[in-house]
Amino acid sequence: MLNVPSQAFPAPGSQQRVASQGRSKVPLKQGRSLMDWIRLTRSGKDLTGLKGRLIDVTEEELKTHNKKDDCWICIRGLVYNVSPYMEYHPGGEDELMRAAGADGTDLFNEVHRWVNYESMLKECLVGRMAMKPAVPKGMLPKSQVTDTLPKEGPSSPSYDWFQTESSVTIVIYTKQKNINLDSVVVDLQDDILRAEAVIKDHSYLIHIELSHEVQENISVRAIENVGKVDIVLQKRENIPWKCLGHPLGKHDSFIPKKDTGLYYRKCQLISKEDVTHDTRLFCLMLPPSTHLQVPVGQHVYLKLSVTGAEIVKPYTPVSESLLSDFKEPVLPPNKYIYFLIKIYPDGLLTPELDHLQIGDFVSVSSPEGNFKVSKLQDVEDLFLLAAGTGFTPMVNVLNYALTSMSSLRKAKLMFFNKTEDDIIWRCQLEKLALKDKRFDVEFVLSAPSSEWNGKQGHVSPALLSEFLQRSSENSRVFLCICGPTPFTDEGIRLLHDLNFSTDEIHGFTA
Ligand code: FAD
Ligand code: NAP
């Protein structure tokens, strides 16, 4: 490991030292405040000079980047190009230069280990040291097991691990920015650890029988935009581990997602509530040692044994409620997974799901699906067309749009059903429209009662052209459509006739 000799920091007499209060800050030039730095990091400017690529940095290479206008620093195994940050550093340029071209971990830990540098410097990330990552003081050395395992190709992720007296941390270096918690699924069962990181259309798998017992609670952290995922396990006994464990099938492999099988874990039914006469809201609890978050617009498969045969069907998880942002969460997040499921009395799986008792188990797969929230980037007008339970993917898309899309001006849902009684979450949709001026909903019924004075019929050019009004002539628009396959196919055809391009439309299908 690279190391700068341990020394007092800030150095006696340095500009960061003040007599009684610890560090002082140097005056920054105008336009060099923290907010200015944040603005610069969000400007899309290439701050590393590597055009978003992450590289493995050798010790020799690091040493050559030791000047103010070309200054790389290694902190905890990751290398940053801090030249663009020099003028924004509250401690001054000279303090940063003390670790130029070297490992600044010790200096950093002594001065401001609490600073969220991973977030502050995420756009300056060059890559990681092409050697064992830094082992923080007090941690035991890692075993050799991981070094003997094959790595596939330069862009394949890799992993490493370290331990403290009471915990073991497995670190996945995905070598991709923008990794987040819903890109990683972790299961721990009978001391077998299975962690899958989905990177673009590929899947990286860690599959190990651990050498020692661990407690069932795991925690997973993704260092967003840095491409690092930490999986923290708690040891059952506080003894040093000589190795992490034994590799199992497909361990350390990086293969196209489409070539991986479905992996299931058993989830317990916690509650089942009527939403309409034939649709229920199911709440399932994930096992305590599973980390699984379904990305917006993706689905999972539910598996049940029906008269001896395993039946599998896809379902799209939803948030507990469209209005959940406005009330205290009753249950802790990410441990529960909700489904709106329509029961078909003559269907194969749904009557069985309906007959489940609270406490029964259902197998739930890892997420699948080709919807990417990046499609919504910079979108101003979002149009959602749903029929029946085709509403389910719209729930999380709508939630995401209203809470996370700063560009959004308008989100409109056209919801097709047979009768008023079939409309899922009608009351919540109407409340949401009252609450959020950007959102609007229109219901269209194909078999309405005589009292219905709203829109009627099937998806048609007339209904669509009236509905698809942009907030401005050239606004950036995106459309999602989901329902019975013939509805979705017909809707997409009509949208093309109305001159929307393929890039502007996402049809949800199996
Ligand atoms: P099926 O046995 O499939 O029968 C359903 C209905 O079709 C019954 O009325 C049956 O009589 C009729 N039927 C069956 N076969 C035929 C046939 N050959 N000809 C004519 N009629 C037939 N559903 C939800 O409720 N919620 C969701 O969140 C959800 N998400 C989905 C996500 C995806 C990606 C996909 C593709 C589907 C989703 N579905 C969802 C639908 C779900 O997967 C099932 O198809 C649905 O629950 C019906 O399953 P079943 O086995 O009970 O019924
Ligand atoms: P439904 O109640 O039978 O139908 C909902 C509405 O769609 C009704 O108004 C119906 O009109 C209309 N419709 C049906 N077929 C049509 C067609 N060919 N053209 C135009 N309109 C049509 O729907 P459901 O039973 O809830 O079924 C929902 C479907 O969505 C299921 O097939 C499910 O698999 C699918 N789904 C897919 C996903 C996904 O891919 N991600 C997610 C969830 C659900 P009528 O009165 O004329 O029937």
Side-chain angles (χ1 to χ4, degrees):
M1 174 189 156
L2 270 176
N3 238 328
V4 171
S6 186
Q7 53 194 295
F9 185 83
S14 105
Q15 54 194 346
Q16 291 203 22
R17 243 176 218 266
V18 286
S20 57
Q21 292 166 336
R23 278 194 320 143
S24 71
K25 295 177 178 177
V26 298
L28 297 171
K29 286 189 204 151
Q30 209 169 8
R32 295 293 181 270
S33 69
L34 177 60
M35 278 318 295
D36 294 312
W37 172 248
I38 290 170
R39 241 174 260 131
L40 177 64
T41 60
R42 290 187 183 160
S43 66
K45 198 171 167 190
D46 177 12
L47 297 182
T48 59
L50 293 170
K51 300 194 173 81
R53 224 163 22 104
L54 296 177
I55 58 170
D56 283 354
V57 182
T58 60
E59 195 170 341
E60 289 67 36
E61 162 119 51
L62 179 65
K63 278 184 191 155
T64 64
H65 299 273
N66 60 357
K67 293 163 214 72
K68 261 191 192 162
D69 60 350
D70 177 19
C71 178
W72 291 11
I73 292 179
C74 170
I75 306 176
R76 297 182 192 155
L78 295 173
V79 180
Y80 298 88
N81 178 349
V82 296
S83 292
Y85 184 60
M86 285 280 171
E87 295 189 340
Y88 299 80
H89 184 224
E93 298 182 14
D94 292 347
E95 293 299 335
L96 268 186
M97 283 306 292
R98 295 179 62 201
D103 188 330
T105 307
D106 285 351
L107 291 177
F108 179 83
N109 283 345
E110 280 170 42
V111 182
H112 36 28
R113 56 181 295 113
W114 59 89
V115 168
N116 184 3
Y117 73 97
E118 282 158 322
S119 156
M120 290 274 292
L121 295 181
K122 65 190 174 198
E123 295 305 327
C124 299
L125 182 72
V126 167
R128 72 162 180 141
M129 291 303 295
M131 59 181 66
K132 293 170 194 167
V135 180
K137 278 182 187 155
M139 290 180 177
L140 299 165
K142 74 182 207 63
S143 84
Q144 296 305 304
V145 70
T146 61
D147 292 341
T148 61
L149 296 165
K151 304 277 181 289
E152 289 175 15
S155 59
S156 170
S158 60
Y159 80 100
D160 213 320
W161 69 282
F162 61 80
Q163 57 185 317
T164 65
E165 206 186 345
S166 60
S167 70
V168 167
T169 299
I170 295 150
V171 186
I172 303 178
Y173 299 96
T174 67
K175 299 187 185 161
Q176 282 297 323
K177 290 193 171 183
N178 296 324
I179 198 85
N180 51 36
L181 278 178
D182 60 19
S183 312
V184 189
V185 179
V186 183
D187 291 280
L188 176 68
Q189 220 183 352
D190 301 329
D191 294 317
I192 292 179
L193 179 80
R194 193 184 180 284
E196 184 185 5
V198 177
I199 296 145
K200 297 201 166 151
D201 293 328
H202 277 60
S203 157
Y204 178 69
L205 185 71
I206 288 183
H207 195 196
I208 294 175
E209 184 175 356
L210 298 172
S211 60
H212 295 74
E213 287 187 8
V214 291
Q215 297 176 31
E216 64 178 12
N217 56 318
I218 57 169
S219 69
V220 181
R221 292 187 299 247
I223 317 302
E224 215 180 309
N225 281 356
V226 171
K228 188 163 86 88
V229 175
D230 290 345
I231 303 163
V232 186
L233 311 173
Q234 300 302 327
K235 294 178 180 175
R236 259 199 207 286
E237 282 181 86
N238 290 352
I239 50 167
W241 291 18
K242 288 205 182 86
C243 71
L244 184 57
H246 305 286
L248 298 173
K250 302 244 172 76
H251 173 65
D252 205 23
S253 63
F254 189 51
I255 55 176
K257 179 90 174 85
K258 63 178 173 51
D259 298 338
T260 63
L262 282 176
Y263 181 79
Y264 291 88
R265 69 283 302 148
K266 284 202 156 81
C267 297
Q268 198 169 26
L269 180 66
I270 295 297
S271 65
K272 186 174 56 168
E273 278 171 35
D274 288 349
V275 173
T276 69
H277 63 101
D278 60 4
T279 302
R280 324 246 182 277
L281 180 68
F282 289 76
C283 172
L284 300 179
M285 182 171 68
L286 291 164
S289 44
T290 291
H291 164 88
L292 186 159
Q293 287 177 203
V294 181
V296 171
Q298 296 204 8
H299 54 269
V300 297
Y301 291 84
L302 297 186
K303 182 168 78 173
L304 263 189
S305 175
V306 179
T307 55
E310 286 199 328
I311 306 296
V312 173
K313 296 262 165 124
Y315 294 91
T316 313
V318 295
S319 53
E320 182 193 2
S321 141
L322 273 175
L323 304 165
S324 50
D325 281 342
F326 305 111
K327 64 176 193 190
E328 288 288 304
V330 183
L331 299 169
N334 304 331
K335 279 286 148 206
Y336 299 89
I337 180 162
Y338 295 87
F339 298 93
L340 284 165
I341 298 180
K342 177 165 172 173
I343 311 300
Y344 298 86
D346 52 354
L348 198 54
L349 183 65
T350 50
E352 300 294 327
L353 290 172
D354 200 28
H355 290 142
L356 288 175
Q357 303 295 309
I358 304 303
D360 284 350
F361 287 87
V362 188
S363 295
V364 178
S365 79
S366 300
E368 297 272 309
N370 55 11
F371 182 81
K372 300 251 169 8
V373 285
S374 54
K375 292 182 178 192
L376 299 175
Q377 198 171 0
D378 301 329
V379 164
E380 294 161 73
D381 293 330
L382 177 66
F383 296 107
L384 310 173
L385 302 170
T389 56
F391 169 63
T392 53
M394 308 304 173
V395 172
N396 289 352
V397 170
L398 187 57
N399 250 322
Y400 174 82
L402 294 177
T403 56
S404 309
M405 281 170 58
S406 53
S407 56
L408 189 80
R409 290 197 210 159
K410 198 181 337 182
K412 284 178 81 179
L413 168 70
M414 185 168 258
F415 195 0
F416 296 82
N417 284 280
K418 289 183 198 299
T419 71
E420 280 185 81
D421 290 346
D422 295 318
I423 304 175
I424 298 169
W425 282 354
R426 177 182 181 174
C427 185
Q428 289 196 34
L429 285 164
E430 287 171 340
K431 275 192 188 157
L432 186 62
L434 284 176
K435 197 127 208 154
D436 194 319
K437 291 219 165 6
R438 296 168 301 169
F439 175 64
D440 213 350
V441 57
E442 281 182 25
F443 302 111
V444 184
L445 301 182
S446 54
S449 69
S450 53
E451 286 104 69
W452 177 251
N453 51 18
K455 293 201 160 49
Q456 303 193 10
H458 285 140
V459 61
S460 67
L463 277 175
L464 288 184
S465 11
E466 194 194 327
F467 175 68
L468 299 169
Q469 299 293 328
R470 294 166 181 254
S471 58
S472 66
E473 202 184 330
N474 293 317
S475 64
R476 194 159 143 61
V477 66
F478 196 76
L479 302 108
C480 296
I481 180 160
C482 186
T485 307
F487 163 88
T488 307
D489 291 348
E490 174 66 357
I492 292 177
R493 195 183 65 75
L494 294 175
L495 292 173
H496 284 312
D497 288 351
L498 289 167
N499 288 328
F500 290 101
S501 70
T502 305
D503 286 348
E504 292 172 323
I505 305 169
H506 184 87
F508 287 90
T509 49

